Amino acid sequence: MAIARVALDVPVPMTFDYRDGGLGLVSGALVVVPFGRRRQVGVVLELAQQPLVERARLRDVERVLPVEPLPAEALALIQFCSDYYHHPIGQVALSALPTALRRSAFAGVRGEVGYVLTPAAAGLEQRTPARASVMQALLAAMRGGAVLGAAEARRISPRAPGVLREWQEQGWVEERQGEVSSPPATMQPGPPLTDEQRAAVERIGAGFGSFAPVLLDGITGSGKTEVYFHLIAHALARTEQVLLMVPEINLTPQLEARFRSRFPGVRLAAMHSGLAEAGRCQRWLEARSGAAQVVIGTRLSVFTPMPRLGLVIVDEEHDASYKQQDGVRYSARDLAVFLAQQRRIPVVLGSATPSIESYHNARSGRFVHLHLRSRPAASRPDIRVVDVRDVPPQHGLSGAVVDALDARLRRGEQSLVFLNRRGYAPSLTCSACGWSAECSRCSARLVWHLREAALRCHYCGHEEAMPAACPACGNQDLRGLGQGTQRLEQTLAARFPGARVLRIDRDTTRRKHAWRAMREQIVGDGADILVGTQMLAKGHDFPKLTLVAIVNPDNALYSADFRAAERLFQQLMQVAGRAGRADRAGEVLLQTRFPAHPVYEALQRQDYSGFADALLAERKSAGFPPFVYQAVLRAESVSPSSVTTFLEAAARVGAGHADGVTLYDPVPAAVERVAGHFRAQLLVQAPGRAALQRFLRAWLPLLAEGKPARVRWAIDVDPLDL
Ligand code: ADP
Ligand code: ZN
Ligand code: ZN
């Protein structure tokens, strides 16, 4: 009898053997097995003849979940991810599945009703006016005899069920049980492509059917999305599926709507973290069956099995949200490249400010490097530095910024004031004794939130009431130092009494749909001055916005992280890109005490390439990534000495295997204590990927031995934060 080698969600790097129980298992099957005294869902990775444990101890697989098994390529991606990031295979496999499929009680999804057009509907599409967009979209979705599922119909519009019912009564539509199917794909015409766009589409299009990694290096507003759309049309015409990955914050209903209006009827599965369990599962199954023609998703969507995958696009590829920061610490961008290589298909990494890693890959010829240097629909913004060394800003605003805001108000245009710090003031101190409010559980200051009259820790979420007097000396004169978005909002409201000021940060957008309402307010001309954090920096198109004021970017210049300059440039370039997107020229003002800093100089020239080249040269001579390869062993515990003991022992054990690999001394994490846990880390560096991997394979299995009880550790390969 065959033995099933099953991956389970257990924190040990191994699989578990079960008898197949006469179920006729295949690899990739999702099965329910007894584990200890519980039941668990597992993934059959392979079938074997000989068990790795005594036969007498083997138990039977209980049942197979009623879903198609994972295809071999999906298993290979899981295996690669587990090997490369050194994370237990079972945890990788199970975290790649939608939650609904991880439940042992999963009973399958009910076959949904489908709809098809009847012969009586002939000519209906021509008779339906173009402005009846819901009807047009539904008709397109049933073109060529395609069966439209009820769930997809509801995604097209909440009004769809009503329209379909009416058509059923007219005899134009009938219900059809069983599989849904896809219509022939057509793209609605967009603007004529610029020469650069057309060249990019042609160049990437020539690589279809083979592994062809491309860096699409195009300034904000250069029409990268338009290029993606043409490539998607190309893939759909080849009846291939497309995976379009976007950062979490960019996966908005607007992107979905923009896609649907260009590709009416095309089956789209949008996958983001806000989806309910059942919705995510259904979309995953649609992708798995091939019914979903396009998947738009965040980080986790890289694991979606797609049998006819023909193209992968990673938009804003530099975005840090592609790297998972706990559990399996994978980079979805890097996995996307692996995926494309495995499936022999093109992968397009798009950005206005590519990560230095991808930029290096493009420079060195590993990726094809394509440029979009012009903005077809707007001119480039004018970026100017405001030197605030001699005349310090009042309440954070320099005279130049105040004048520019004033001019916009008079012209009825919108402005954006960017400050990447939420709350009222980043710290609260006593004017008499120097006390300052700190989190009792973290090595961090508490942030004063004025409206809530609270002090909040931005690391652990701890919150306490704003004290009436200094807890140390009783003095009632407590002062907020520095400025957050709440304070800036207050300052602006006082300075411009007639203006409608709208604050957009994580605090004001926490409620569901809050951000959507705010967006409508902005686009619908219901706000004059936007105050916001990096939430506002990304991918949004605000047609009336003509001024961006960046009021306090200098803090980032002091960071010890070698990636700080890269991040700052990326972030500022992204915010700057919000100005003047439509037919109005944009202006960007940057208040700084370091007007000659290379980051700001490059920013004024809007010369990311020059800046990236300089960074690369610097990193090369300093021996930083991408010229070396890193991994960080992170450890934490309530006991600081246990963390030290663990990391020192790890360093000693590692020294015996080093062989060209450098182990640095353990150091405390940037924020040493979070929620009562002390955190420290050990950096490992190697001249090549292979050497690093060899070392980790030898070293990590030795760490469990003699580990102090309360220490938790994790390995982070290719870390983004040190
Ligand atoms: P990106 O993704 O590079 O920031 P988008 O694709 O969102 O840029 O395009 C920015 C704006 O330019 C959009 O309003 C888009 O409709 C418009 N646009 C894109 N390509 C063209 C073109 N070839 N001609 C005219 N307008 C275009
Ligand atoms: Zn005091
Ligand atoms: Zn805290």
Side-chain angles (χ1 to χ4, degrees):
M1 184 187 279
I3 304 297
R5 212 138 271 168
V6 180
L8 294 172
D9 189 0
V10 186
V12 288
M14 58 182 287
T15 54
F16 297 85
D17 283 359
Y18 289 87
R19 279 190 303 252
D20 93 339
L23 293 168
L25 296 174
V26 295
S27 64
L30 307 189
V31 292
V32 179
V33 297
F35 187 77
R37 279 182 289 158
R38 291 174 303 132
R39 287 193 170 80
Q40 279 207 15
V41 170
V43 180
V44 177
L45 291 187
E46 55 176 345
L47 294 159
Q49 292 306 318
Q50 290 304 322
L52 298 173
V53 296
E54 276 170 61
R55 271 188 189 270
R57 288 176 46 208
L58 288 177
R59 298 162 85 180
D60 282 347
V61 169
E62 279 185 14
R63 80 185 179 97
V64 185
L65 291 194
V67 287
E68 283 179 83
L70 296 180
E73 307 88 66
L75 296 181
L77 181 64
I78 288 166
Q79 186 71 55
F80 173 80
C81 183
S82 166
D83 291 345
Y84 186 82
Y85 294 103
H86 298 270
H87 200 81
I89 180 87
Q91 293 192 315
V92 177
L94 274 293
S95 66
L97 293 176
T99 318
L101 296 182
R102 283 182 248 162
R103 300 193 189 280
S104 57
F106 180 75
V109 288
R110 247 184 312 125
E112 55 167 351
V113 181
Y115 299 92
V116 285
L117 292 171
T118 65
L124 186 57
E125 205 166 339
Q126 288 71 35
R127 296 200 302 278
T128 303
R131 68 194 138 70
S133 58
V134 173
M135 291 189 187
Q136 286 291 359
L138 290 172
L139 290 170
M142 293 182 286
R143 229 178 249 159
V147 185
L148 172 64
E152 171 77 2
R154 280 192 304 274
R155 280 179 230 146
I156 289 175
S157 164
R159 287 191 285 129
V163 174
L164 288 167
R165 212 173 313 117
E166 199 174 302
W167 285 352
Q168 254 177 302
E169 282 160 20
Q170 300 282 350
W172 296 336
V173 157
E174 60 189 24
E175 289 186 5
R176 176 78 56 86
Q177 295 299 329
E179 287 283 285
V180 298
S181 57
S182 320
T186 48
M187 181 172 71
Q188 292 295 312
L193 294 184
T194 62
D195 289 346
E196 284 178 325
Q197 284 173 317
R198 190 168 330 101
V201 170
E202 278 169 12
R203 181 71 211 270
I204 301 166
F208 271 73
S210 62
F211 173 55
V214 173
L215 177 64
L216 183 61
D217 187 343
I219 62 170
T220 53
S222 61
K224 293 184 288 298
T225 312
E226 203 53 44
V227 171
Y228 303 155
F229 283 174
H230 281 257
L231 294 171
I232 291 171
H234 195 112
L236 294 179
R238 296 164 51 101
T239 68
E240 291 170 342
Q241 291 172 293
V242 178
L243 172 61
L244 169 57
M245 291 181 19
V246 296
E248 181 79 43
I249 207 162
N250 291 39
L251 188 42
T252 55
Q254 293 81 252
L255 177 63
E256 217 178 312
R258 186 170 168 193
F259 181 87
R260 285 192 187 278
S261 75
R262 287 299 288 282
F263 292 93
V266 164
R267 306 282 189 259
L268 168 67
M271 312 249 265
H272 51 86
S273 62
L275 280 181
E277 193 176 312
R280 172 172 271 276
C281 180
Q282 176 152 40
R283 290 163 202 222
W284 189 92
L285 291 170
E286 287 169 9
R288 166 69 188 99
S289 74
Q293 290 159 287
V294 176
V295 170
I296 301 185
T298 51
R299 179 170 75 216
L300 190 56
S301 64
V302 74
F303 291 106
T304 314
M306 298 169 73
R308 288 182 286 104
L309 185 66
L311 170 68
V312 183
I313 300 167
V314 184
D315 190 29
E316 310 285 6
E317 68 85 33
H318 65 277
D319 197 282
S321 77
Y322 284 121
K323 174 91 165 140
Q324 167 112 342
Q325 296 293 3
D326 53 22
V328 200
R329 293 166 190 252
Y330 65 95
S331 154
R333 178 199 63 214
D334 294 351
L335 287 183
V337 175
F338 173 80
L339 178 66
Q341 186 164 23
Q342 173 198 42
R343 307 290 289 266
R344 300 203 184 85
I345 56 175
V347 54
V348 179
L349 309 182
S351 176
T353 50
S355 64
I356 291 295
E357 284 77 9
S358 297
Y359 187 82
H360 179 57
N361 280 330
R363 274 280 187 216
S364 63
R366 236 166 308 177
F367 293 174
V368 173
H369 197 171
L370 300 178
H371 297 272
L372 301 178
R373 294 191 170 93
S374 59
R375 280 178 151 190
S379 52
R380 279 180 177 230
D382 179 29
I383 303 182
R384 262 196 310 130
V385 158
V386 178
D387 184 349
V388 292
R389 278 174 303 185
D390 297 335
V391 191
Q394 295 213 330
H395 302 292
L397 298 176
S398 62
V401 165
V402 169
D403 291 346
L405 286 168
D406 197 45
R408 294 314 179 292
L409 284 171
R410 277 187 277 108
R411 293 207 296 264
E413 296 174 0
Q414 257 167 2
S415 307
L416 161 60
V417 185
F418 177 78
L419 177 64
N420 208 11
R421 198 164 242 191
R422 64 200 167 85
Y424 184 74
S427 77
L428 182 74
T429 64
C430 168
S431 60
C433 75
W435 168 88
S436 73
E438 288 186 7
C439 180
S440 56
R441 310 166 67 212
C442 306
S443 39
R445 296 252 168 95
L446 291 172
V447 177
W448 177 14
H449 286 250
L450 183 73
R451 195 169 300 172
E452 301 80 358
L455 298 175
R456 282 188 188 155
C457 174
H458 286 189
Y459 289 92
C460 72
H462 166 80
E463 177 167 331
E464 59 192 56
M466 168 80 185
C470 172
C473 75
N475 167 31
Q476 297 194 345
D477 182 23
L478 296 178
R479 291 183 185 168
L481 285 191
Q483 115 164 316
T485 45
Q486 274 190 346
R487 189 174 214 164
L488 189 56
E489 177 190 20
Q490 203 181 49
T491 305
L492 286 163
R495 182 67 187 70
F496 301 104
R500 295 161 303 173
V501 179
L502 184 64
R503 172 162 60 93
I504 296 124
D505 56 27
R506 242 188 314 138
D507 295 318
T508 62
T509 54
R510 198 157 292 169
R511 269 190 3 266
K512 215 176 171 185
H513 306 311
W515 170 224
R516 191 193 304 179
M518 285 187 173
R519 213 202 106 87
E520 275 158 21
Q521 189 179 345
I522 299 167
V523 177
D525 204 10
D528 301 311
I529 301 178
L530 318 178
V531 180
T533 56
Q534 60 173 354
M535 279 199 72
L536 271 179
K538 308 203 179 165
H540 306 294
D541 197 354
F542 301 132
K544 292 199 63 180
L545 188 72
T546 60
L547 171 70
V548 169
I550 300 167
V551 292
N552 189 9
D554 290 344
N555 280 332
L557 299 177
Y558 309 129
S559 170
D561 189 333
F562 70 87
R563 283 193 174 82
E566 174 188 354
R567 287 217 189 101
L568 180 63
F569 191 102
Q570 287 166 343
Q571 185 180 65
L572 298 184
M573 200 68 228
Q574 293 284 340
V575 226
R578 298 313 109 211
R581 303 245 335 177
D583 51 353
R584 301 168 211 226
E587 184 183 11
V588 180
L589 297 178
L590 196 147
Q591 285 184 179
T592 175
R593 275 173 292 120
F594 303 92
H597 195 283
V599 172
Y600 300 145
E601 290 207 315
L603 199 70
Q604 283 183 87
R605 281 183 275 117
Q606 302 181 48
D607 175 18
Y608 187 69
S609 296
F611 176 69
D613 285 334
L615 274 188
L616 272 177
E618 228 174 87
R619 292 213 196 156
K620 187 168 189 174
S621 66
F624 284 134
F627 300 96
V628 296
Y629 293 82
Q630 296 181 330
V632 171
L633 177 66
R634 302 181 194 278
E636 63 171 51
S637 170
V638 286
S639 141
S641 63
S642 307
V643 176
T644 313
T645 308
F646 170 70
L647 289 178
E648 282 172 355
R652 269 196 310 279
V653 172
H657 296 266
D659 192 18
V661 169
T662 310
L663 282 99
Y664 289 86
D665 289 335
V667 292
V671 181
E672 190 176 358
R673 196 164 58 103
V674 170
H677 285 75
F678 291 88
R679 310 187 306 170
Q681 61 199 36
L682 189 166
L683 176 66
V684 178
Q685 196 165 289
R689 247 187 242 288
L692 180 64
Q693 289 291 336
R694 215 176 314 114
F695 172 75
L696 294 176
R697 270 196 303 277
W699 183 47
L700 295 176
L702 307 175
L703 296 187
E705 227 168 283
K707 178 180 82 66
R710 284 169 307 167
V711 171
R712 286 200 314 189
W713 64 270
I715 190 77
D716 188 350
V717 179
D718 304 333
L720 280 188
D721 296 292
L722 290 183

